[in-house]
Amino acid sequence: MIQEVPNTVIQDEYYAAVDLGSNSFHMVIVRVLSGSVQIVSKNKRKVRLAAGLDDELQLSEDSIQRGLDCLKTFREQLEDIPPSNIKIVATATLRIASNAAQFITRAEKVLNHKISVISGEEEARQIYLGVAYTSANQGNTLVVDIGGASTEVIVGRDMQPLHLTSVDMGCVTFMERYFPGGVLSENNFDKALAEAEALVSLHAPTFKCFDWQQCLGASGTPQAIVEILLKRGINDAIRLEYLFKLRDEVIASKHIDSLSINGLAESRRVIFPSGLAILIALFKQLRLNNMQISGGALREGIIYGMLDNYQRADRRSQGINQLVSRFHIDTAQSDRVKKVAISLCRQMCEQSNFCDFDTEALISSAAALHELGLHVGYKKFHEHGAYILTHVELTGFTTLQRMFIRDLVGMHRQEIDLSVFDNYQDDFKEMLINALRIVRISVILCTRRRDDTIPAPTLAVKGSQWTLSFGDGVLLAHPLVHAELIHETWLQHKAGWKLICQ
């Protein structure tokens, strides 16, 4: 029988989730403090459990030992967490291994805690919850998680999964099956891709019935690809054209030992070709235009599943409020600029096609955080703010959305660096430009930092020409704002945009 470990060190505000995946074992520990969830530790070990499966689905003793050795390193931290606040789950490989019970028994003795082997459907549900908690979304969202031995696909709305499935294909099992000996040939890649497409095609018609507004990839292969794109100076969502280019680079390497792509982590290199083939299949069969990276996955779903009250929380507001408090932002000024920015954003969206369903959320978040860098110092505080946003967690937003907010904060004042926009595709670039114009104008209108001194203009949008109409005598009554707007008109003119204030 599993005995609970007495806890005398850490109070019940600490929680831990452990995910025994087919490729990696993960552990995340969080602290619940003043209504917020703070990650205090993450541990990830490449175990490649699925690589130990033979034709009879028996796990080899070597792979079992790799897993147990990893869990011995996890146990020490888990001993400091109340047992009731720990949840450990196992996924695809331990669902199918014929000797899974042997591993589970030995692993439970190592951890002194019960392990739950969850179904593919339950795994998909938990993945969706992890994504929904950490990357708040509006409308229907498609979520994809490529694991070591299974791939989960889910479509949901807010916190509710609407349809989900688990497909028996993964980056470890496909690497063993279709790239024997590490040979990276066009023929091998095409075989892996064809099998992945065949498997996804069985579920594609149902998923395509849902009208989703965005697609999010949960860690793994999508995260690896984003890291590669960033090394290439591309701040963008994942697109099929990028995947095809990476496929050509993989095949050109000829062997896994020769595969070298700038930005690809060494720990991911061995299973990257198979994960890439699966991702291409998903893009083709589900007709995906692009994919962004979520802020969480299975571990986060497990954690938040233990915190029922967080199901009703606004994750984005939580994330913004945490930063406002942490960096001592003037909340009154933050709220003023945010309110003005939302008003201008809605006027812009009514008159143009510059907006998507998340435009207002991104603009209002950047407006709320525009003075983040003052915590460091006034000089170049916009750049300080962008730097901070590069390195801190911002709950409720995808990786690309966090980049948007970072760049809006980084350019909300002084000269406009047009080179920043070169890192975005045209559709994202257009939204960023117009969001930036709104944030910059909103900051100027709130210059005096008083609620009763904010002029409220009407915005007229005609392409890149924007007209702010204040009414007779308003600008004369606000000479400081007027002077700042004159200067801003010149800065926007230098950037190629026309701003008229009357």
Side-chain angles (χ1 to χ4, degrees), residues 11-79:
Q11 301 303 313
D12 289 1
E13 60 195 5
Y14 285 84
Y15 291 78
V18 180
D19 159 24
L20 309 185
S22 301
N23 181 47
S24 304
F25 286 4
H26 299 257
M27 178 173 66
V28 60
I29 297 175
V30 304
R31 184 186 184 198
V32 180
L33 180 66
S34 301
S36 66
V37 177
Q38 180 185 62
I39 296 175
V40 298
S41 176
K42 279 189 175 183
N43 204 328
K44 173 183 177 181
R45 297 293 179 90
K46 291 290 182 184
V47 175
R48 300 189 67 232
L49 201 63
L53 288 171
D54 62 20
D55 293 341
E56 283 74 43
L57 298 181
Q58 280 268 342
L59 277 172
S60 68
E61 180 58 30
D62 284 346
S63 64
I64 290 176
Q65 196 57 53
R66 287 198 303 271
L68 296 177
D69 289 344
C70 171
L71 296 182
K72 289 174 185 176
T73 68
F74 286 3
R75 174 175 174 160
E76 186 174 2
Q77 282 185 287
L78 292 177
E79 287 178 344

Side-chain angles (χ1 to χ4, degrees), residues 313-326:
D314 182 337
R315 283 86 64 204
R316 285 181 170 173
S317 294
Q318 275 188 354
I320 297 297
N321 292 338
Q322 287 172 20
L323 290 185
V324 168
S325 174
R326 177 180 174 184

Side-chain angles (χ1 to χ4, degrees), residues 183-210:
V183 176
L184 304 177
S185 67
E186 184 173 357
N187 184 53
N188 286 353
F189 198 97
D190 287 347
K191 285 181 179 179
L193 177 59
E195 175 65 9
E197 286 202 64
L199 291 169
V200 177
S201 69
L202 300 175
H203 307 277
T206 303
F207 279 100
K208 285 189 287 191
C209 289
F210 292 90

Side-chain angles (χ1 to χ4, degrees), residues 153-259:
V153 184
I154 315 100
V155 65
R157 186 179 183 88
D158 193 35
M159 298 304 301
Q160 184 62 45
L162 301 176
H163 182 71
L164 50 81
T165 191
S166 180
V167 185
D168 291 331
M169 61 180 184
C171 52
V172 175
T173 52
F174 264 44
M175 193 67 198
E176 298 287 326
R177 188 182 309 163
Y178 294 106
F179 300 92
V183 176
L184 304 177
S185 67
E186 184 173 357
N187 184 53
N188 286 353
F189 198 97
D190 287 347
K191 285 181 179 179
L193 177 59
E195 175 65 9
E197 286 202 64
L199 291 169
V200 177
S201 69
L202 300 175
H203 307 277
T206 303
F207 279 100
K208 285 189 287 191
C209 289
F210 292 90
D211 182 21
W212 61 77
Q213 279 69 52
Q214 65 176 342
C215 175
L216 299 179
S219 65
T221 299
Q223 180 64 51
I225 290 170
V226 166
E227 290 170 1
I228 292 170
L229 295 179
L230 289 176
K231 282 291 185 180
R232 298 179 177 186
I234 302 173
N235 292 347
D236 191 16
I238 299 171
R239 299 174 187 270
L240 193 56
E241 61 188 271
Y242 300 148
L243 301 184
F244 284 149
K245 289 179 181 178
L246 288 171
R247 175 202 59 188
D248 293 341
E249 292 177 40
V250 165
I251 293 171
S253 298
K254 297 185 179 179
H255 195 276
I256 196 67
D257 293 342
S258 302
L259 180 61

Side-chain angles (χ1 to χ4, degrees), residues 134-163:
T134 56
S135 304
N137 52 76
Q138 300 178 29
N140 291 350
T141 298
L142 184 75
V143 174
V144 171
D145 188 299
I146 302 172
S150 67
T151 294
E152 281 63 48
V153 184
I154 315 100
V155 65
R157 186 179 183 88
D158 193 35
M159 298 304 301
Q160 184 62 45
L162 301 176
H163 182 71

Side-chain angles (χ1 to χ4, degrees), residues 366-439:
L369 296 174
H370 77 282
E371 290 190 335
L372 182 67
L374 284 176
H375 184 76
V376 178
Y378 178 76
K379 188 175 182 180
K380 296 186 177 180
F381 76 83
H382 52 299
E383 295 180 12
H384 299 325
Y387 178 83
I388 291 171
L389 287 170
T390 302
H391 297 283
V392 298
E393 294 287 336
L394 186 53
T395 303
F397 297 91
T398 67
T399 300
L400 183 58
Q401 288 169 340
R402 291 198 296 270
M403 291 178 187
F404 265 58
I405 296 170
R406 176 202 67 195
D407 289 340
L408 289 176
V409 169
M411 294 192 293
H412 84 267
R413 61 192 289 266
Q414 296 188 2
E415 294 283 338
I416 300 169
D417 182 4
L418 293 176
S419 67
V420 173
F421 302 111
D422 295 337
N423 297 325
Y424 293 89
Q425 284 278 358
D426 288 344
D427 48 352
F428 290 133
K429 180 190 300 184
E430 188 173 49
M431 188 176 83
L432 179 62
I433 288 172
N434 291 285
L436 177 63
R437 298 181 75 178
I438 284 178
V439 172

